[in-house]
Amino acid sequence: MATNPTSNLIGFLCDTPMVGSGYFGMLQIGLMAACHKWETALVVKSFDLSDPALADRIRALLARIPLRGVILPEPICEIPAVLDAVAEAGLPVVRIAPRSDTGMTLDICVDNEAAAYDITRYLIELGHKQIAFIKGPPDHSDAIARLAGFTRAMGEAGLAADAAKMVTGGFDFAQGLSAGERLLTMDSLPTAVFACNDEVAAAVLATAHRLGFKIPEDFSLAGFDDSPLARQVWPQITTCRQKMELTGYMAVDFVIDPPTAAEARRRPQLHELVIRQSTAKPRD
Amino acid sequence: MATNPTSNLIGFLCDTPMVGSGYFGMLQIGLMAACHKWETALVVKSFDLSDPALADRIRALLARIPLRGVILPEPICEIPAVLDAVAEAGLPVVRIAPRSDTGMTLDICVDNEAAAYDITRYLIELGHKQIAFIKGPPDHSDAIARLAGFTRAMGEAGLAADAAKMVTGGFDFAQGLSAGERLLTMDSLPTAVFACNDEVAAAVLATAHRLGFKIPEDFSLAGFDDSPLARQVWPQITTCRQKMELTGYMAVDFVIDPPTAAEARRRPQLHELVIRQSTAKPRD
């Protein structure tokens, strides 16, 4: 199948659990804004990534619907059979936050390692030494990179990234509740907690409220993403903005008006620290 | 233009501010699940409802993209020019939570009045007499119906729906913060606050935390929607579940497999009270 340069439809193919998340919502704001600019519409379709027929389902979709190009977020953008299916269709592919460079796609990258490093540095500069980290899903590239950034900042500052204070969590609220419960019932409380995303940070905050801890008086708390949730709780959560709206906007731009130079095919998306009320100097 | 019974695309046309909201996210979970079942995909497109060219933009979209049918949520589903544009294209239309019955579309309705009545009754049965209500946008049909349900329950119980305790808010968090601030700095605090949706309730909760009030000890708090946010704060918020996932699922079913009998063309969606930790009997 050839490309469809006249199609007004851009495909957004993702995993089913992503639908309804705050991350997806933020991305869609940017996707919709760029679709408005280019007078295109977005075809959204979610898939069960463990389905053995996944690649065939995508082939069938691409055969039925003339798309201008396809946007693939993490983690579907890492599946070789999916990339092959889209490549066979001859469509431009834009990947959001992929782990590795295939040389075949246009990529928008968030440097999760650097962003997590920056948050950790900020906590260290406030004076924190006992910093706990709540890890994301062990096989998720963003989670792995955030852990690496945390570990590097701790190591550079000569602080032990204490294994007992590196709690396995996940990316969702329920996992955050159980990780928060484990952390906050330990014998020695950390002076700061860095959660792998804002949902998990909000769960730690809810647990702290329930157990009678005050934030930031008893410990500081930081998240990651700058999702709406980080602003919809009290105290509001210090976090790292990934500019997901802008990422969505750029992804559509890349499909419609792809950059030609090789170095432009992989565009890093800047992050920025968003300092709110949940972090402060440690007591004493 | 004729209908496109072989098209695998269903249009979801909405207003721009809806994109990224928790409500949109919940709806999309159901839309995606039903699209999976029917092997269709969703074309999502958002519009500025104040754009004078709105109907022409929709005509242009429908002319370019062969759709099986169109799903219109509130408030875009109330705009006659939009309904006319879709009707001209001869496409089945499913409206979500419309205000009125046009006799021309398939409608999925939430009885906001009855749901708000049920929440208010529940607060009254706990023993509350001083109940404040935070109103939604004055021109939004859901908000108007929720206010009507509140007023009816208060009236039936012989309680004054005190005008001073009916605060104008909106549907978003920022509006909730200012409504919460006004309510919680009044001379006489209500014993219960019923906010028009969960985002606004979460804003009242954040304001209460900030001002040092305890919920439900100092006052009870209820929201509306059962959005994820209602569970991601502490205490978790008593609310009314609208079953938006199921609504999204049914909307796709209606497009693909429309009911024929007239009485089936307008299907009420059940609501249910979700009682959590934010409500209790009043003190004394």
Side-chain angles (χ1 to χ4, degrees):
Chain A
M1 187 194 284
T3 60
N4 303 290
T6 61
S7 168
N8 288 99
L9 293 171
I10 294 175
F12 182 86
L13 314 184
C14 66
D15 58 302
T16 298
M18 184 184 185
V19 179
S21 68
Y23 176 89
F24 185 59
M26 287 187 288
L27 210 49
Q28 271 191 308
I29 290 172
L31 293 165
M32 287 294 117
C35 280
H36 180 76
K37 178 179 73 170
W38 292 106
E39 296 193 343
T40 57
L42 198 70
V43 176
V44 181
K45 182 85 180 168
S46 68
F47 296 92
D48 171 2
L49 302 193
S50 68
D51 181 352
L54 173 62
D56 288 338
R57 286 186 191 278
I58 289 176
R59 269 188 202 92
L61 180 84
L62 299 179
R64 284 199 312 263
I65 302 169
L67 296 176
R68 180 79 165 261
V70 170
I71 298 170
L72 301 174
E74 241 269 330
I76 197 172
C77 72
E78 299 294 343
I79 300 176
V82 170
L83 294 174
D84 289 347
V86 183
E88 283 165 27
L91 295 177
V93 180
V94 175
R95 298 191 305 162
I96 294 174
R99 209 172 311 186
S100 54
D101 189 352
T102 65
M104 308 274 290
T105 56
L106 300 165
D107 296 345
I108 301 173
C109 308
V110 174
D111 192 340
N112 281 277
E113 201 272 348
Y117 176 89
D118 287 354
I119 291 189
T120 312
R121 276 295 313 163
Y122 160 72
L123 294 171
I124 292 169
E125 282 164 11
L126 281 174
H128 293 281
K129 292 183 168 62
Q130 296 288 326
I131 306 176
F133 184 78
I134 302 179
K135 298 189 260 189
D139 55 349
H140 196 294
S141 63
D142 289 357
I144 294 165
R146 290 172 201 177
L147 174 59
F150 169 75
T151 310
R152 178 164 67 93
M154 293 292 278
E156 284 184 12
L159 298 172
D162 184 355
K165 296 268 193 296
M166 310 247 279
V167 177
T168 301
F171 271 160
D172 70 37
F173 190 81
Q175 293 168 307
L177 283 181
S178 88
E181 170 96 32
R182 268 175 291 149
L183 261 186
L184 302 185
T185 53
M186 283 180 177
D187 286 340
S188 82
L189 204 67
T191 66
V193 175
F194 176 13
C196 58
N197 75 3
D198 292 334
E199 261 187 56
V200 170
V204 173
L205 177 60
T207 306
H209 277 309
R210 184 171 60 78
L211 298 175
F213 291 110
K214 278 193 178 351
I215 291 176
E217 292 83 352
D218 292 322
F219 63 92
S220 286
L221 176 66
F224 200 104
D225 278 346
D226 195 29
S227 73
L229 185 58
R231 297 186 300 276
Q232 292 171 343
V233 292
W234 188 88
Q236 294 188 322
I237 298 171
T238 292
T239 186
C240 185
R241 180 174 296 153
Q242 288 207 60
K243 301 187 181 167
M244 292 319 301
E245 291 97 336
L246 184 57
T247 298
Y249 194 90
M250 277 174 49
V252 172
D253 272 3
F254 265 30
V255 169
I256 307 267
D257 187 20
T260 46
E263 69 268 27
R265 296 177 69 85
R266 188 170 174 85
R267 191 166 302 181
Q269 186 55 278
L270 296 176
H271 60 269
E272 59 180 330
L273 213 58
V274 183
I275 296 173
R276 299 206 176 98
Q277 302 101 310
S278 69
T279 44
K281 289 179 196 295
R283 277 200 287 218
D284 301 335
Chain B
M1 186 192 287
T3 59
N4 304 289
T6 61
S7 168
N8 289 99
L9 293 171
I10 294 174
F12 182 86
L13 314 184
C14 68
D15 59 302
T16 298
M18 185 184 185
V19 179
S21 68
Y23 176 89
F24 184 60
M26 288 187 289
L27 210 50
Q28 271 192 308
I29 290 172
L31 293 165
M32 288 292 117
C35 280
H36 179 77
K37 178 179 74 169
W38 292 105
E39 296 193 342
T40 57
L42 198 70
V43 175
V44 181
K45 182 85 181 168
S46 67
F47 296 92
D48 170 3
L49 301 194
S50 67
D51 181 352
L54 173 63
D56 288 337
R57 286 186 192 280
I58 289 176
R59 269 187 203 94
L61 179 85
L62 300 179
R64 283 197 312 262
I65 302 169
L67 296 176
R68 179 80 163 259
V70 171
I71 298 169
L72 301 174
E74 240 269 330
I76 197 173
C77 72
E78 299 295 344
I79 301 176
V82 170
L83 294 174
D84 289 346
V86 183
E88 283 166 27
L91 295 177
V93 179
V94 175
R95 298 191 306 161
I96 294 173
R99 210 173 310 187
S100 53
D101 189 352
T102 64
M104 308 274 289
T105 56
L106 301 166
D107 296 345
I108 301 173
C109 308
V110 173
D111 191 341
N112 281 279
E113 201 272 348
Y117 175 89
D118 287 354
I119 291 189
T120 312
R121 277 296 312 163
Y122 160 72
L123 293 171
I124 292 168
E125 281 164 13
L126 280 175
H128 293 281
K129 293 184 167 60
Q130 296 289 324
I131 306 175
F133 184 78
I134 302 179
K135 297 190 260 190
D139 55 349
H140 195 295
S141 63
D142 289 356
I144 295 165
R146 290 172 201 179
L147 174 60
F150 169 75
T151 310
R152 178 163 66 94
M154 292 293 279
E156 284 183 13
L159 297 172
D162 184 354
K165 296 268 193 295
M166 310 247 279
V167 176
T168 301
F171 272 159
D172 70 36
F173 189 82
Q175 293 168 308
L177 283 182
S178 88
E181 170 96 31
R182 267 175 290 149
L183 261 186
L184 302 185
T185 54
M186 283 178 176
D187 286 340
S188 82
L189 203 66
T191 66
V193 175
F194 176 13
C196 58
N197 76 1
D198 291 334
E199 263 188 56
V200 170
V204 173
L205 177 59
T207 306
H209 277 309
R210 184 171 61 77
L211 298 175
F213 291 110
K214 278 191 178 352
I215 292 176
E217 292 83 351
D218 292 323
F219 64 92
S220 286
L221 176 66
F224 200 104
D225 278 346
D226 195 28
S227 72
L229 184 58
R231 297 186 299 277
Q232 291 171 343
V233 292
W234 189 89
Q236 295 188 323
I237 298 171
T238 291
T239 185
C240 185
R241 181 174 296 152
Q242 288 207 59
K243 301 187 182 169
M244 293 318 302
E245 292 96 336
L246 184 57
T247 297
Y249 193 91
M250 276 175 49
V252 171
D253 272 3
F254 265 31
V255 169
I256 306 268
D257 187 21
T260 46
E263 68 268 27
R265 297 177 68 84
R266 187 171 174 84
R267 191 164 304 181
Q269 186 56 277
L270 296 177
H271 62 268
E272 61 180 329
L273 214 58
V274 183
I275 296 172
R276 298 208 176 96
Q277 302 102 310
S278 69
T279 45
K281 290 179 195 296
R283 277 199 288 219
D284 301 334

